[in-house]
Coordinates of all heavy atoms in Angstrom, one line a residue:
M1 N -18.7 -143.1 8.1 CA -19.2 -143.1 6.7 C -18.2 -143.9 5.8 O -17.0 -143.9 6.0 CB -19.2 -141.6 6.2 CG -19.6 -141.5 4.7 SD -19.6 -139.8 4.1 CE -20.8 -139.0 5.1
D2 N -18.8 -144.8 5.0 CA -17.9 -145.6 4.1 C -17.4 -144.8 2.9 O -17.8 -143.7 2.7 CB -18.7 -146.9 3.7 CG -19.9 -146.5 2.9 OD1 -20.0 -145.4 2.3 OD2 -20.9 -147.3 2.9
H3 N -16.6 -145.5 2.1 CA -16.0 -144.8 1.0 C -17.0 -144.4 0.0 O -16.9 -143.3 -0.7 CB -14.9 -145.7 0.4 CG -13.7 -145.8 1.2 ND1 -13.3 -147.0 1.8 CD2 -12.8 -144.9 1.6 CE1 -12.2 -146.8 2.5 NE2 -11.9 -145.5 2.4
V4 N -18.0 -145.2 -0.2 CA -19.0 -144.9 -1.2 C -19.8 -143.7 -0.7 O -20.0 -142.8 -1.5 CB -20.0 -146.1 -1.4 CG1 -21.2 -145.7 -2.2 CG2 -19.3 -147.3 -2.0
G5 N -20.0 -143.6 0.6 CA -20.7 -142.4 1.1 C -19.9 -141.2 0.9 O -20.4 -140.1 0.6
L6 N -18.6 -141.3 1.2 CA -17.7 -140.1 1.0 C -17.7 -139.7 -0.4 O -17.8 -138.5 -0.7 CB -16.3 -140.5 1.5 CG -16.0 -140.4 2.9 CD1 -14.6 -140.9 3.2 CD2 -16.1 -138.9 3.4
F7 N -17.6 -140.6 -1.3 CA -17.6 -140.3 -2.7 C -18.9 -139.6 -3.1 O -18.8 -138.5 -3.8 CB -17.4 -141.6 -3.6 CG -17.5 -141.3 -5.1 CD1 -16.4 -140.7 -5.7 CD2 -18.6 -141.6 -5.8 CE1 -16.4 -140.5 -7.1 CE2 -18.7 -141.3 -7.1 CZ -17.6 -140.7 -7.8
T8 N -20.0 -140.1 -2.7 CA -21.3 -139.5 -3.0 C -21.3 -138.1 -2.4 O -21.8 -137.1 -3.1 CB -22.4 -140.3 -2.4 OG1 -22.3 -141.6 -3.0 CG2 -23.7 -139.7 -2.8
A9 N -20.8 -137.9 -1.2 CA -20.9 -136.6 -0.6 C -20.0 -135.6 -1.4 O -20.4 -134.5 -1.6 CB -20.4 -136.7 0.9
D10 N -18.8 -136.0 -1.8 CA -18.0 -135.1 -2.5 C -18.6 -134.8 -3.9 O -18.5 -133.6 -4.3 CB -16.6 -135.8 -2.8 CG -15.8 -135.8 -1.5 OD1 -16.1 -135.1 -0.5 OD2 -14.8 -136.6 -1.5
R11 N -19.2 -135.7 -4.5 CA -19.9 -135.4 -5.7 C -21.0 -134.4 -5.5 O -21.2 -133.5 -6.4 CB -20.4 -136.8 -6.3 CG -20.9 -136.6 -7.7 CD -21.4 -137.9 -8.3 NE -22.4 -138.6 -7.4 CZ -22.8 -139.8 -7.6 NH1 -22.3 -140.6 -8.5 NH2 -23.7 -140.3 -6.8
E12 N -21.7 -134.6 -4.4 CA -22.8 -133.7 -4.2 C -22.3 -132.3 -3.9 O -22.8 -131.3 -4.4 CB -23.6 -134.1 -3.0 CG -24.4 -135.4 -3.2 CD -25.6 -135.2 -4.1 OE1 -25.9 -134.1 -4.5 OE2 -26.2 -136.2 -4.5
K13 N -21.2 -132.2 -3.2 CA -20.6 -130.9 -3.0 C -20.1 -130.2 -4.3 O -20.3 -129.0 -4.5 CB -19.3 -131.0 -2.1 CG -19.7 -131.2 -0.6 CD -18.4 -131.2 0.2 CE -18.8 -131.5 1.7 NZ -17.6 -131.6 2.5
Y14 N -19.6 -131.0 -5.2 CA -19.1 -130.5 -6.4 C -20.3 -130.0 -7.2 O -20.2 -128.9 -7.8 CB -18.5 -131.7 -7.2 CG -17.7 -131.2 -8.4 CD1 -16.4 -130.7 -8.3 CD2 -18.3 -131.3 -9.7 CE1 -15.7 -130.2 -9.4 CE2 -17.6 -130.8 -10.8 CZ -16.3 -130.3 -10.7 OH -15.7 -129.9 -11.8
R15 N -21.4 -130.7 -7.2 CA -22.6 -130.2 -7.9 C -23.1 -128.9 -7.3 O -23.6 -128.0 -8.0 CB -23.7 -131.3 -7.8 CG -23.5 -132.5 -8.7 CD -24.6 -133.4 -8.6 NE -25.9 -132.8 -9.0 CZ -27.1 -133.3 -8.9 NH1 -27.2 -134.5 -8.3 NH2 -28.1 -132.7 -9.3
A16 N -23.0 -128.8 -6.0 CA -23.4 -127.6 -5.3 C -22.6 -126.4 -5.7 O -23.2 -125.3 -6.0 CB -23.3 -127.8 -3.8
L17 N -21.3 -126.6 -5.9 CA -20.5 -125.5 -6.3 C -20.9 -125.0 -7.7 O -20.7 -123.9 -8.1 CB -19.0 -125.9 -6.3 CG -18.5 -126.1 -4.9 CD1 -17.1 -126.7 -5.0 CD2 -18.5 -124.8 -4.1
A18 N -21.5 -125.9 -8.5 CA -21.9 -125.6 -9.9 C -23.2 -124.7 -9.8 O -23.5 -124.1 -10.8 CB -22.1 -126.8 -10.7
G19 N -23.8 -124.7 -8.7 CA -25.0 -123.8 -8.5 C -26.2 -124.6 -8.3 O -26.9 -125.1 -9.3
A20 N -26.6 -124.9 -7.1 CA -27.7 -125.7 -6.8 C -28.3 -125.4 -5.4 O -27.7 -124.9 -4.5 CB -27.3 -127.2 -6.8
W21 N -29.6 -125.8 -5.3 CA -30.3 -125.7 -4.0 C -30.2 -127.0 -3.3 O -30.3 -128.1 -4.0 CB -31.7 -125.3 -4.1 CG -32.1 -124.1 -4.9 CD1 -33.0 -124.1 -6.0 CD2 -31.8 -122.7 -4.7 NE1 -33.2 -122.8 -6.4 CE2 -32.4 -122.0 -5.7 CE3 -30.9 -122.1 -3.8 CZ2 -32.3 -120.6 -5.8 CZ3 -30.8 -120.7 -3.9 CH2 -31.5 -120.0 -4.9
V22 N -30.3 -127.0 -2.0 CA -30.6 -128.3 -1.3 C -32.1 -128.5 -1.5 O -32.9 -127.6 -1.1 CB -30.3 -128.2 0.2 CG1 -30.8 -129.4 1.0 CG2 -28.8 -128.0 0.4
T23 N -32.5 -129.6 -2.0 CA -33.9 -129.9 -2.4 C -34.3 -131.2 -1.7 O -33.6 -132.2 -1.7 CB -34.0 -130.1 -3.9 OG1 -33.4 -128.9 -4.5 CG2 -35.4 -130.2 -4.3
P24 N -35.5 -131.1 -1.0 CA -35.9 -132.3 -0.2 C -36.9 -133.2 -1.0 O -37.6 -132.8 -1.9 CB -36.7 -131.6 0.9 CG -37.3 -130.4 0.2 CD -36.3 -130.0 -0.8
E25 N -36.8 -134.5 -0.6 CA -37.9 -135.4 -1.0 C -38.8 -135.6 0.2 O -38.6 -136.4 1.1 CB -37.2 -136.8 -1.3 CG -38.2 -137.8 -1.8 CD -37.5 -139.2 -2.0 OE1 -36.3 -139.2 -2.2 OE2 -38.1 -140.2 -1.8
S26 N -39.8 -134.7 0.3 CA -40.5 -134.5 1.5 C -41.3 -135.6 2.0 O -41.5 -135.8 3.3 CB -41.4 -133.2 1.4 OG -40.6 -132.1 1.1
L27 N -41.9 -136.4 1.2 CA -42.9 -137.4 1.6 C -42.3 -138.4 2.5 O -43.0 -139.0 3.4 CB -43.5 -138.1 0.4 CG -44.4 -137.2 -0.5 CD1 -44.9 -138.0 -1.7 CD2 -45.6 -136.7 0.3
R28 N -41.0 -138.7 2.5 CA -40.4 -139.7 3.3 C -39.8 -139.1 4.6 O -39.2 -139.8 5.4 CB -39.4 -140.5 2.5 CG -40.1 -141.4 1.5 CD -39.0 -142.1 0.6 NE -38.0 -142.8 1.4 CZ -36.7 -142.7 1.2 NH1 -36.3 -141.9 0.2 NH2 -35.9 -143.3 1.9
C29 N -39.9 -137.8 4.8 CA -39.2 -137.1 5.9 C -39.9 -137.5 7.2 O -41.2 -137.5 7.3 CB -39.3 -135.6 5.7 SG -38.6 -134.7 7.1
V30 N -39.2 -137.8 8.2 CA -39.7 -138.2 9.5 C -39.6 -137.0 10.5 O -39.9 -137.2 11.7 CB -39.1 -139.4 10.1 CG1 -39.4 -140.7 9.3 CG2 -37.5 -139.3 10.2
Q31 N -39.2 -135.9 10.0 CA -39.1 -134.6 10.8 C -38.2 -134.8 12.0 O -38.5 -134.3 13.1 CB -40.5 -134.2 11.2 CG -41.3 -133.6 10.0 CD -40.8 -132.3 9.5 OE1 -40.8 -131.3 10.3 NE2 -40.3 -132.2 8.3
C32 N -37.1 -135.5 11.9 CA -36.2 -135.8 13.0 C -35.4 -134.6 13.4 O -34.9 -134.4 14.5 CB -35.3 -137.0 12.7 SG -34.1 -136.6 11.3
G33 N -35.2 -133.7 12.4 CA -34.5 -132.4 12.6 C -33.0 -132.5 12.6 O -32.3 -131.6 12.8
V34 N -32.4 -133.7 12.2 CA -31.0 -133.9 12.1 C -30.4 -132.9 11.1 O -29.3 -132.3 11.3 CB -30.6 -135.3 11.7 CG1 -29.2 -135.5 11.3 CG2 -31.0 -136.3 12.8
C35 N -31.1 -132.7 10.0 CA -30.6 -131.7 9.0 C -30.4 -130.3 9.5 O -29.3 -129.7 9.4 CB -31.5 -131.7 7.8 SG -33.2 -131.5 8.2
A36 N -31.4 -129.8 10.2 CA -31.4 -128.5 10.8 C -30.4 -128.4 11.9 O -29.6 -127.4 12.0 CB -32.8 -128.1 11.3
F37 N -30.3 -129.5 12.7 CA -29.4 -129.5 13.9 C -27.9 -129.3 13.4 O -27.1 -128.7 14.1 CB -29.6 -130.8 14.7 CG -28.7 -130.8 15.9 CD1 -29.0 -130.2 17.0 CD2 -27.5 -131.6 15.9 CE1 -28.2 -130.2 18.2 CE2 -26.7 -131.7 17.0 CZ -27.0 -131.0 18.1
N38 N -27.6 -129.9 12.3 CA -26.2 -129.9 11.8 C -25.9 -128.8 10.8 O -24.7 -128.7 10.4 CB -25.9 -131.3 11.1 CG -25.8 -132.4 12.1 OD1 -24.8 -132.5 12.8 ND2 -26.8 -133.2 12.3
C39 N -26.8 -127.9 10.5 CA -26.5 -126.8 9.6 C -25.7 -125.8 10.4 O -26.1 -125.2 11.4 CB -27.8 -126.2 9.1 SG -27.5 -124.7 8.1
P40 N -24.5 -125.5 9.9 CA -23.6 -124.5 10.5 C -24.1 -123.1 10.5 O -23.7 -122.2 11.2 CB -22.3 -124.7 9.8 CG -22.7 -125.2 8.4 CD -23.9 -126.1 8.7
M41 N -25.1 -122.9 9.6 CA -25.7 -121.5 9.5 C -27.0 -121.4 10.2 O -27.7 -120.3 10.1 CB -25.9 -121.2 8.0 CG -24.6 -121.2 7.2 SD -23.3 -120.1 7.9 CE -24.0 -118.5 7.5
G42 N -27.4 -122.4 10.9 CA -28.7 -122.4 11.6 C -29.9 -122.3 10.8 O -31.0 -121.8 11.3
I43 N -29.8 -122.8 9.6 CA -31.0 -122.8 8.7 C -31.9 -123.9 9.1 O -31.5 -125.0 9.3 CB -30.6 -122.9 7.2 CG1 -29.7 -121.7 6.8 CG2 -31.8 -123.1 6.3 CD1 -29.1 -121.8 5.4
D44 N -33.2 -123.6 9.2 CA -34.2 -124.6 9.6 C -34.5 -125.4 8.4 O -35.6 -125.3 7.7 CB -35.4 -123.9 10.1 CG -36.4 -124.9 10.8 OD1 -36.2 -126.1 10.6 OD2 -37.3 -124.4 11.5
V45 N -33.6 -126.3 8.1 CA -33.8 -127.2 6.9 C -35.1 -128.0 7.0 O -35.8 -128.2 6.0 CB -32.6 -128.1 6.7 CG1 -32.7 -128.9 5.4 CG2 -31.3 -127.3 6.6
R46 N -35.3 -128.5 8.2 CA -36.5 -129.3 8.4 C -37.8 -128.6 8.0 O -38.7 -129.2 7.4 CB -36.6 -129.7 9.9 CG -37.9 -130.5 10.2 CD -37.9 -131.1 11.6 NE -37.7 -130.0 12.6 CZ -37.7 -130.2 13.9 NH1 -37.8 -131.5 14.4 NH2 -37.5 -129.2 14.7
R47 N -37.9 -127.3 8.3 CA -39.1 -126.6 7.9 C -39.2 -126.5 6.4 O -40.3 -126.6 5.8 CB -39.0 -125.1 8.4 CG -40.2 -124.3 8.1 CD -40.2 -123.0 8.9 NE -39.0 -122.2 8.5 CZ -39.0 -121.3 7.5 NH1 -40.1 -121.2 6.7 NH2 -37.9 -120.7 7.2
H48 N -38.1 -126.4 5.7 CA -38.1 -126.4 4.2 C -38.6 -127.7 3.7 O -39.4 -127.8 2.8 CB -36.7 -126.1 3.6 CG -36.3 -124.7 3.8 ND1 -36.6 -123.8 2.8 CD2 -35.6 -124.1 4.7 CE1 -36.1 -122.6 3.2 NE2 -35.5 -122.7 4.3
V49 N -38.2 -128.8 4.4 CA -38.6 -130.1 3.9 C -40.1 -130.3 4.2 O -40.8 -130.8 3.3 CB -37.8 -131.2 4.7 CG1 -38.3 -132.6 4.3 CG2 -36.3 -131.0 4.4
W50 N -40.5 -129.8 5.4 CA -41.9 -129.9 5.7 C -42.8 -129.2 4.7 O -43.9 -129.7 4.3 CB -42.1 -129.3 7.1 CG -43.6 -129.2 7.6 CD1 -44.4 -128.1 7.7 CD2 -44.3 -130.3 8.0 NE1 -45.6 -128.5 8.2 CE2 -45.6 -129.9 8.4 CE3 -44.1 -131.7 8.1 CZ2 -46.6 -130.7 8.9 CZ3 -45.1 -132.5 8.6 CH2 -46.3 -132.0 9.0
R51 N -42.3 -128.1 4.2 CA -43.1 -127.3 3.2 C -42.8 -127.7 1.8 O -43.4 -127.2 0.8 CB -42.7 -125.8 3.4 CG -43.1 -125.3 4.7 CD -42.6 -123.9 5.0 NE -43.2 -122.9 4.1 CZ -43.0 -121.6 4.1 NH1 -42.2 -121.1 5.1 NH2 -43.5 -120.8 3.3
G52 N -41.9 -128.7 1.6 CA -41.6 -129.2 0.3 C -40.9 -128.2 -0.6 O -41.0 -128.2 -1.8
E53 N -40.1 -127.3 0.1 CA -39.4 -126.3 -0.7 C -37.9 -126.5 -0.6 O -37.3 -126.9 0.4 CB -39.7 -124.9 -0.1 CG -41.2 -124.6 -0.2 CD -41.5 -123.3 0.6 OE1 -40.7 -122.9 1.4 OE2 -42.6 -122.8 0.4
P54 N -37.1 -126.1 -1.6 CA -35.7 -126.1 -1.5 C -35.1 -125.0 -0.6 O -35.8 -124.0 -0.3 CB -35.2 -125.8 -3.0 CG -36.4 -125.1 -3.6 CD -37.6 -125.6 -2.9
V55 N -33.9 -125.2 -0.1 CA -33.3 -124.2 0.7 C -32.7 -123.1 -0.1 O -31.7 -123.2 -0.8 CB -32.1 -124.9 1.6 CG1 -31.4 -123.8 2.4 CG2 -32.7 -126.0 2.5
T56 N -33.4 -122.0 -0.1 CA -33.0 -120.9 -1.0 C -32.4 -119.7 -0.2 O -32.1 -118.7 -0.8 CB -34.3 -120.3 -1.7 OG1 -35.3 -120.0 -0.7 CG2 -34.9 -121.4 -2.6
E57 N -32.2 -119.9 1.1 CA -31.5 -118.8 1.8 C -30.2 -118.4 1.3 O -29.4 -119.3 1.0 CB -31.4 -119.2 3.3 CG -32.5 -118.9 4.2 CD -33.4 -120.1 4.3 OE1 -33.5 -120.9 3.4 OE2 -34.0 -120.2 5.4
S58 N -29.9 -117.2 1.2 CA -28.6 -116.7 0.8 C -27.5 -117.2 1.7 O -26.3 -117.2 1.4 CB -28.5 -115.2 0.5 OG -28.8 -114.5 1.7
A59 N -27.9 -117.4 3.0 CA -26.9 -117.8 4.0 C -26.4 -119.3 3.8 O -25.4 -119.6 4.4 CB -27.6 -117.7 5.4
C60 N -27.1 -120.0 3.0 CA -26.7 -121.4 2.7 C -25.3 -121.4 2.1 O -25.1 -120.8 1.1 CB -27.7 -122.1 1.9 SG -27.2 -123.8 1.5
L61 N -24.4 -122.2 2.7 CA -23.1 -122.3 2.2 C -22.9 -123.4 1.1 O -21.8 -123.6 0.6 CB -22.1 -122.7 3.4 CG -22.2 -121.7 4.6 CD1 -21.4 -122.3 5.7 CD2 -21.6 -120.4 4.2
T62 N -24.0 -124.1 0.9 CA -23.9 -125.4 0.1 C -22.8 -126.3 0.5 O -22.1 -126.8 -0.3 CB -23.8 -125.1 -1.4 OG1 -22.6 -124.3 -1.7 CG2 -25.0 -124.3 -2.0
C63 N -22.7 -126.4 1.9 CA -21.6 -127.2 2.5 C -21.9 -128.7 2.4 O -21.1 -129.5 2.4 CB -21.4 -126.8 3.9 SG -22.8 -127.2 5.0
G64 N -23.2 -129.0 2.2 CA -23.6 -130.4 2.0 C -23.8 -131.1 3.4 O -24.1 -132.3 3.4
E65 N -23.6 -130.4 4.5 CA -23.7 -131.1 5.8 C -25.1 -131.7 6.0 O -25.2 -132.9 6.4 CB -23.5 -130.1 6.9 CG -23.1 -130.7 8.2 CD -21.8 -131.4 8.1 OE1 -20.9 -131.1 7.3 OE2 -21.6 -132.4 8.9
C66 N -26.2 -131.0 5.6 CA -27.5 -131.5 5.8 C -27.7 -132.7 4.9 O -28.4 -133.7 5.3 CB -28.6 -130.4 5.6 SG -28.5 -129.6 4.0
V67 N -27.2 -132.6 3.7 CA -27.4 -133.7 2.7 C -26.7 -135.0 3.2 O -27.3 -136.0 3.1 CB -26.8 -133.3 1.3 CG1 -26.8 -134.4 0.4 CG2 -27.5 -132.1 0.8
Q68 N -25.5 -134.8 3.8 CA -24.8 -136.0 4.3 C -25.5 -136.6 5.6 O -25.4 -137.8 5.8 CB -23.4 -135.6 4.6 CG -22.5 -135.3 3.4 CD -21.1 -134.9 3.9 OE1 -20.4 -135.7 4.5 NE2 -20.7 -133.7 3.5
R69 N -26.0 -135.7 6.4 CA -26.5 -136.1 7.7 C -27.9 -136.7 7.7 O -28.2 -137.5 8.7 CB -26.5 -134.9 8.7 CG -25.1 -134.3 8.9 CD -24.3 -135.1 9.9 NE -23.0 -134.4 10.1 CZ -22.3 -134.6 11.2 NH1 -22.7 -135.5 12.1 NH2 -21.2 -134.0 11.4
C70 N -28.7 -136.4 6.8 CA -30.1 -136.9 6.8 C -30.0 -138.5 6.8 O -29.5 -139.1 5.9 CB -30.9 -136.5 5.6 SG -32.5 -137.3 5.5
P71 N -30.6 -139.1 7.9 CA -30.5 -140.5 8.0 C -31.3 -141.3 7.0 O -31.1 -142.5 6.7 CB -31.0 -140.8 9.4 CG -31.9 -139.6 9.7 CD -31.2 -138.5 9.0
R72 N -32.2 -140.6 6.3 CA -33.0 -141.2 5.3 C -32.6 -140.8 3.9 O -33.2 -141.3 2.9 CB -34.5 -140.9 5.5 CG -35.0 -141.4 6.8 CD -36.5 -141.0 7.1 NE -37.4 -141.6 6.1 CZ -37.9 -142.8 6.3 NH1 -37.7 -143.6 7.3 NH2 -38.8 -143.3 5.4
G73 N -31.5 -140.0 3.8 CA -31.0 -139.7 2.5 C -32.0 -138.9 1.6 O -32.1 -139.2 0.4
L74 N -32.7 -138.0 2.2 CA -33.8 -137.3 1.4 C -33.4 -136.0 0.8 O -34.2 -135.4 0.1 CB -35.0 -137.1 2.4 CG -35.5 -138.3 3.1 CD1 -36.7 -137.9 4.0 CD2 -35.9 -139.4 2.2
L75 N -32.2 -135.6 1.1 CA -31.8 -134.3 0.6 C -30.7 -134.4 -0.5 O -29.9 -135.3 -0.4 CB -31.2 -133.4 1.8 CG -32.1 -133.2 2.9 CD1 -31.4 -132.5 4.1 CD2 -33.3 -132.4 2.5
R76 N -30.8 -133.6 -1.5 CA -29.9 -133.6 -2.6 C -29.7 -132.2 -3.2 O -30.6 -131.3 -2.9 CB -30.4 -134.6 -3.7 CG -31.6 -134.2 -4.4 CD -32.1 -135.2 -5.3 NE -33.3 -134.7 -6.1 CZ -34.5 -134.6 -5.6 NH1 -34.8 -135.0 -4.4 NH2 -35.5 -134.1 -6.4
F77 N -28.7 -132.0 -3.9 CA -28.5 -130.8 -4.6 C -29.2 -130.8 -6.0 O -29.0 -131.7 -6.7 CB -27.1 -130.4 -4.8 CG -26.4 -130.0 -3.5 CD1 -25.5 -130.9 -2.9 CD2 -26.7 -128.8 -2.9 CE1 -24.9 -130.5 -1.7 CE2 -26.1 -128.5 -1.7 CZ -25.2 -129.3 -1.1
E78 N -30.0 -129.8 -6.2 CA -30.6 -129.7 -7.6 C -30.2 -128.4 -8.2 O -30.3 -127.3 -7.5 CB -32.2 -129.8 -7.4 CG -32.7 -131.2 -7.2 CD -32.6 -132.0 -8.4 OE1 -32.9 -131.5 -9.5 OE2 -32.3 -133.2 -8.3
P79 N -29.8 -128.4 -9.4 CA -29.4 -127.1 -10.0 C -30.6 -126.1 -10.0 O -31.7 -126.5 -10.2 CB -29.1 -127.5 -11.5 CG -28.8 -128.9 -11.4 CD -29.7 -129.5 -10.3
F80 N -30.3 -124.8 -9.8 CA -31.4 -123.9 -9.8 C -31.3 -123.1 -11.1 O -30.3 -123.0 -11.8 CB -31.3 -122.9 -8.6 CG -30.0 -122.3 -8.3 CD1 -29.5 -121.2 -9.1 CD2 -29.2 -122.8 -7.3 CE1 -28.3 -120.7 -8.8 CE2 -27.9 -122.3 -7.0 CZ -27.5 -121.2 -7.8
A81 N -32.5 -122.6 -11.5 CA -32.7 -121.8 -12.7 C -31.9 -120.5 -12.6 O -31.8 -119.9 -11.5 CB -34.1 -121.5 -13.0
P82 N -31.3 -120.0 -13.7 CA -30.5 -118.8 -13.6 C -31.2 -117.6 -13.1 O -30.6 -116.8 -12.3 CB -30.1 -118.6 -15.1 CG -30.1 -120.0 -15.7 CD -31.2 -120.7 -15.0
A83 N -32.5 -117.5 -13.4 CA -33.3 -116.4 -12.9 C -33.4 -116.3 -11.4 O -33.4 -115.2 -10.8 CB -34.7 -116.4 -13.5
R84 N -33.4 -117.5 -10.8 CA -33.5 -117.5 -9.3 C -32.2 -117.4 -8.6 O -32.1 -117.3 -7.4 CB -34.1 -118.9 -8.9 CG -35.5 -119.1 -9.4 CD -36.2 -120.3 -8.9 NE -36.4 -120.2 -7.4 CZ -36.8 -121.2 -6.6 NH1 -36.9 -122.3 -7.1 NH2 -37.0 -121.0 -5.4
R85 N -31.1 -117.3 -9.4 CA -29.8 -117.3 -8.8 C -29.5 -115.8 -8.3 O -28.7 -115.7 -7.4 CB -28.8 -117.7 -9.8 CG -27.4 -117.9 -9.2 CD -26.5 -118.6 -10.1 NE -25.2 -118.8 -9.6 CZ -24.2 -119.5 -10.1 NH1 -24.4 -120.1 -11.3 NH2 -23.1 -119.6 -9.5
E86 N -30.2 -114.9 -8.9 CA -30.0 -113.5 -8.4 C -30.3 -113.3 -7.0 O -31.2 -113.9 -6.5 CB -30.8 -112.6 -9.3 CG -30.4 -112.5 -10.7 CD -31.4 -111.7 -11.6 OE1 -32.2 -111.0 -11.0 OE2 -31.4 -111.9 -12.8
G87 N -29.5 -112.6 -6.3 CA -29.7 -112.4 -4.9 C -28.9 -113.3 -4.0 O -28.8 -113.1 -2.8
R88 N -28.3 -114.3 -4.6 CA -27.4 -115.2 -3.9 C -25.9 -114.8 -4.0 O -25.0 -115.4 -3.5 CB -27.6 -116.6 -4.4 CG -28.8 -117.3 -3.8 CD -28.9 -118.7 -4.4 NE -27.7 -119.5 -4.1 CZ -27.6 -120.4 -3.1 NH1 -28.6 -120.5 -2.3 NH2 -26.5 -121.1 -2.9
G89 N -25.7 -113.7 -4.7 CA -24.3 -113.2 -4.9 C -23.6 -114.1 -5.9 O -22.3 -114.0 -5.9
G90 N -24.2 -114.9 -6.6 CA -23.5 -115.8 -7.5 C -24.0 -115.6 -8.9 O -23.6 -116.3 -9.8
Ligands
LIG1 S1 -32.7 -135.1 8.5 FE1 -33.9 -136.0 6.8 S2 -35.6 -137.1 7.8 FE2 -34.7 -135.8 9.4 S3 -35.9 -133.8 9.2 FE3 -34.2 -133.6 7.9 S4 -34.9 -134.2 5.8 FE4 -36.3 -135.0 7.4
LIG2 S1 -26.0 -127.1 2.6 FE1 -25.0 -126.5 4.6 S2 -25.5 -124.4 5.0 FE2 -26.9 -125.1 3.4 S3 -28.7 -125.8 4.5 FE3 -27.4 -127.6 4.3 S4 -26.1 -127.7 6.2 FE4 -27.0 -125.6 6.0

């Protein structure tokens, strides 16, 4: 990963800590499964992308691994609404 990539990744992690879901841009997904394969929590990120839904599992660490690993750059952190934050322990 180059420096620009690292910077982007760190910025994404920072945004995640502020409270965000991993959110897909589903239309360009090739269903390669790299995102799910690299998730340390075993979350089926690919399925979320297929369904066009953000990763809302409480198990998500917002580690940003899936965001960094997607070869097409389709995943990003999007802030979630306060009402939906309940149940995530935050
Ligand atoms: S890594 Fe990217 S392209 Fe591959 S399944 Fe996940 S979201 Fe789709
Ligand atoms: S942010 Fe981390 S824990 Fe959450 S779905 Fe992506 S890889 Fe898994």
